[in-house]
Amino acid sequence: MSTERSKRKPFPWVQAAVAAVVVGASIVLGAQIFERQLHPESAGVAPAPRVPGAEFPTDTFAGKDVEQPINYSHKLHAGDLGINCLYCHTYARRSKVAGIPPTAKCMGCHTVVGTDKPEIEKLTQMWQSNQSPAWNKVNDVPDFVHFSHERHLQKFLFDNPEMDIKNAPDVCAMCHGDMNQVGVAKKMKPLTMGFCVRCHESNQGPSDCTRCHK
Amino acid sequence: MSKTKINRRNFLKVLGLGGAGAALAGCDMPSTVTLEEGEEKIYSYLAPEEYVIPGVGVWYASTCLQCPAACGTHGRVREGRVLKLEGNPDSAVNAGKLCQMGQAALQAHFNPDRITAPLINGQPASWDDALALINEKASGGNVAWMTGTVSGHQRVLLDAHLAATGKGHHYAVETVNARAWTDAGKTVLGDAMPTLHLDKAKAVLSLGADLLGTWISPVTFMGQYGKFRAAPRGVLIMVEPAMSLTGANADQWVAAKPGTEAAVALGVGHLLMTKHGLSLNGMPNATSAFQSMTPAQVHEIAGVSEAALNKIADTLVSHSPSLVIANASHAAARIAMVLNIMLGNVGKTLTPGASIAADPLAPMMGSSKDLAEFAQNAAAGKIDAVFISGANPAFVAPQGLDMAAALKAVGFKVAIATCHDETTKACDVVLPLSSALEDWGTHVPAYGGKPGVVHLQQPLMEPLHADTRGLGDILLTLGKSAGVDGLDAFEDYYGYLRTAVSAMIGSELEGDWHRVLQAGQFETRAASRAFSAGHDVALGFSETAVSGLHLVTVARQGLYDGRHANSSWLQEAPDQISKAVWDSWAEIHPKTAASLNLKDGDYVRLTTASGAITTRVFIYKGVHPNAVCVPMGRGHTDYGRWANNGVNPLTIVDAHLGDWQSSEIIATASLVKIDAAGENRHLVRLMDTDQQYGRKLVATIPAQQFGRTQGGA
Ligand code: SF4
């Protein structure tokens, strides 16, 4: 074995490594450019920063229209009626997931409000037959990413002296975009690792791998 | 290796740098790594309990049913699903710990091969039809039950059903059992389950009792073992034909010919008497048995050197109090009990046991004797109908018992099971059972814990399959239709159990019931036992295995007796001795292998008087040259998608009954012939080599030096 090894020419791993880095990077950059071309309208649109004491992430993402079992409008509830995000997504401040509001919460208003509207009738019928709506997921991170809503709300909302709870939607908008403007939910921020890391850098979030990849 | 090939090291370097390049830019690659929007469903609660928060786990207490030890568990439940099990820290049996089999209970629950509907002759049927058929065919005559170990209120209902249907018998079958030890305890000291104080012993001699792996209550013993090994470090001596997990941890590991541990124990007694002047008062039978077994004879019978024997005897005397335990055979276990008397361990490291005062709840512990008796009685046409739950006789029975014919001779067979196995295939009716994580029950641990404490099993989640039912519910239904008194008041087993437990804790209050649920256990009256004066039993052993090559079938923690072969986690968990995964092997001593001209990975045909199996060789110094060790648990034919690998050595064990005045199957008495079967294939093992190739991953010192530093010598 050892004699064989001394006869052999050393493997040019430096060159190979450089080549591999170049190939790896160009595949990925290519994919990004390709992706931007898919969603040209998203390029360069940056909402004004709205969370005091924090850098507001500027990236955007033009998500697909995702059909839902009930044609729920964020614009109507959160935008026009001004219901705080945390009223319905009540788990966001208590858990890693924000949660979809339980049907009981919808029915809290809709046993009396808007009962004649077809979408509310649909909801009422589901409620009466003990069925949860099968929502289609819009925002998600892969299973190997540990993201906590609770921790982010703590930092940007509850521990932020310049913020009031009524401004919660501004904090939500950092990662979800301005939900007051859309009807049925849509993905409006890329939620990629680059997106996370840039924001962590500008807002002094933790940067060790194991904080998110547990 | 040719010039153009990249070697492993360079390949990894390139991969690492290339990966770094991709990662630098790749953090922004969208949609290929995140999910496709709208591709997954998310369901909200209708009206959640107040304390339920999605994403936050709630822990509930329950009981592990993966082996007869019945450890207490805590299960983490999130969004209605049980995700992780841990030991219940409040349980004195396992003190917050759980073994790998316990951890894998999740897979038994989520197993994709679960039975989801009742079957009549293999065809899906309704519960009503299945129960009607059972009422018609199994309501009179000799209706038997075959189970594994059962205790608690399930046992109460089962006994009531047996009593109501007539003259049937309850066969409790466990291939991995401690019957040798419990029988010896009863005969010699009048207590079948004495309490062991490993933590107080300065030396422990085990004759084939794998207390860290599979013996009685491994997690209890692991906890005690930790204390036993803490400074001043106790000395562990193991005598067995093939190394077990306990043997691998021993300071002195003594390889004895299969089935001769009893001779070694007699030889130790001989030296204690002649060399160290110990004696046995009022036990002339035992005394003469010890006197007549000289070290020279032990050497001839067991192949254990006189020096090794002297070392054992010396250690036991210099490290007092010691403890001698045994599970190798009835003969060895009796001698172990008498050795404890001779060494003065009784009352120090071996004290009378204590258990629950309510006897009907006490565990009915299984044995292989019941398996043999069932086969005999069934073949003789004495059993009209049988209910089988928690046992797989068609898999564990030696061919000599002809279980297939025995089962055929039983007119009507009902299996109550979570998954199909070799036995359910032979049954007329199969009732789909809830998993252990979906069911209610009470369990009295076979050993350990606080006397009088009963573990409560509560469902950790809603049933995965709507048409399955719990064992207690099925027993309740059967009991009602058999006319058992007092059951009509209860709609379901939960109601029965709650009433029964409330009566035992003397409170009907809702709050007290919740406290029991929260603790996962409750305390009732305990009854302690007392030792009788050492009974002067005849000591000796059955000379069935002193020459020739013998088959040794052993159980390892993991697949156990084969019941966990349908768990991919446990298939993937490397065997504690060979480190092999997903297949069978035969452990053979290098000398034996050399004499037969066998290499690692060679396929061999192992032939006994009862049959033959073909598997590959794993050459290993931790077996006696006279032993061929094949771990049990593999070789299933009908046990779901993960179990069809390896071979089942239990089938070729010769069904010799009557190990030293008992009627157990002798596990080591089958002579075996080895023939090369031609092929050679690499056995897949974690680590694959015992060498470090100079990498100094683990520091080592020579065995002799270790013996000197650790008090072993
Ligand atoms: S020893 Fe038995 S009861 Fe205890 S955790 Fe392991 S499998 Fe479960």
Side-chain angles (χ1 to χ4, degrees), chain B residues 28-44:
Chain B
D28 272 318
M29 192 193 293
S31 65
T32 46
V33 286
T34 55
L35 100 168
E36 300 288 334
E37 303 142 73
E39 297 294 308
E40 275 179 22
K41 295 273 182 241
I42 179 167
Y43 297 88
S44 55

Side-chain angles (χ1 to χ4, degrees), chain B residues 514-537:
Chain B
H514 281 186
R515 256 187 285 284
V516 171
L517 291 182
Q518 213 164 29
Q521 56 188 12
F522 60 92
E523 208 171 329
T524 70
R525 243 166 9 93
S528 46
R529 299 184 288 262
F531 283 157
S532 54
H535 181 50
D536 187 26
V537 287

Side-chain angles (χ1 to χ4, degrees), chain B residues 332-482:
Chain B
R334 280 188 177 194
I335 301 166
M337 289 291 174
V338 178
L339 282 177
N340 280 319
I341 298 176
M342 194 183 339
L343 287 159
N345 298 337
V346 175
K348 290 179 189 156
T349 55
L350 193 73
T351 58
S355 62
I356 181 167
D359 223 23
L361 268 70
M364 166 129 180
M365 293 176 70
S367 69
S368 66
K369 174 176 147 247
D370 280 23
L371 182 72
E373 276 178 9
F374 172 81
Q376 285 155 1
N377 291 338
K382 288 186 196 157
I383 301 174
D384 300 318
V386 64
F387 291 90
I388 305 176
S389 188
N392 186 357
F395 178 76
V396 297
Q399 266 168 30
L401 291 182
D402 204 353
M403 190 53 76
L407 284 171
K408 213 170 260 160
V410 178
F412 186 67
K413 299 167 288 283
V414 181
I416 303 168
T418 54
C419 289
H420 278 297
D421 58 26
E422 292 75 5
T423 301
T424 61
K425 288 282 147 92
C427 289
D428 306 289
V429 173
V430 179
L431 300 180
L433 185 64
S434 303
S435 83
L437 308 189
E438 298 164 340
D439 207 356
W440 287 99
T442 46
H443 302 273
V444 180
Y447 177 84
K450 198 160 173 245
V453 167
V454 180
H455 281 176
L456 189 93
Q457 173 196 7
Q458 70 171 317
L460 297 177
M461 66 179 276
E462 289 285 305
L464 282 173
H465 309 289
D467 225 8
T468 56
R469 291 190 192 173
L471 182 62
D473 281 308
I474 295 173
L475 283 167
L476 191 71
T477 312
L478 293 176
K480 278 183 193 170
S481 45

Side-chain angles (χ1 to χ4, degrees), chain B residues 305-320:
Chain B
S305 72
E306 290 184 32
L309 206 61
N310 269 291
K311 195 169 156 189
I312 301 176
D314 296 349
T315 309
L316 289 178
V317 172
S318 63
H319 291 69
S320 182

Side-chain angles (χ1 to χ4, degrees), chain A residues 4 11 17 21 28 32 35 63-64 91 95 97 101-104 130-132 134-137 140 142 192-194 198, chain B residues 1 6-7 10 17 25-31 33-35 37-38 40-46 48 53-56:
Chain A
E4 231 180 284
F11 177 77
V21 172
V28 170
Q32 285 169 33
E35 183 79 25
K64 292 195 278 211
Y91 304 118
S95 168
V97 298
T103 314
N130 276 348
Q131 253 185 353
S132 296
W135 301 102
N136 292 306
K137 242 184 197 183
D140 198 5
T192 57
M193 182 168 143
R198 274 191 294 281
Chain B
M1 205 184 260
I6 302 176
N7 73 19
N10 283 338
L17 282 160
C27 313
D28 272 318
M29 192 193 293
S31 65
V33 286
T34 55
L35 100 168
E37 303 142 73
E40 275 179 22
K41 295 273 182 241
I42 179 167
Y43 297 88
S44 55
Y45 287 106
L46 278 171
I53 298 175
V56 175

Side-chain angles (χ1 to χ4, degrees), chain A residues 1-29:
Chain A
M1 184 67 199
S2 59
T3 49
E4 231 180 284
R5 187 172 277 177
S6 59
K7 264 188 266 158
R8 215 169 54 219
K9 256 194 221 161
F11 177 77
W13 64 265
V14 176
Q15 290 91 321
V18 171
V21 172
V22 171
V23 170
S26 52
I27 290 174
V28 170
L29 292 170

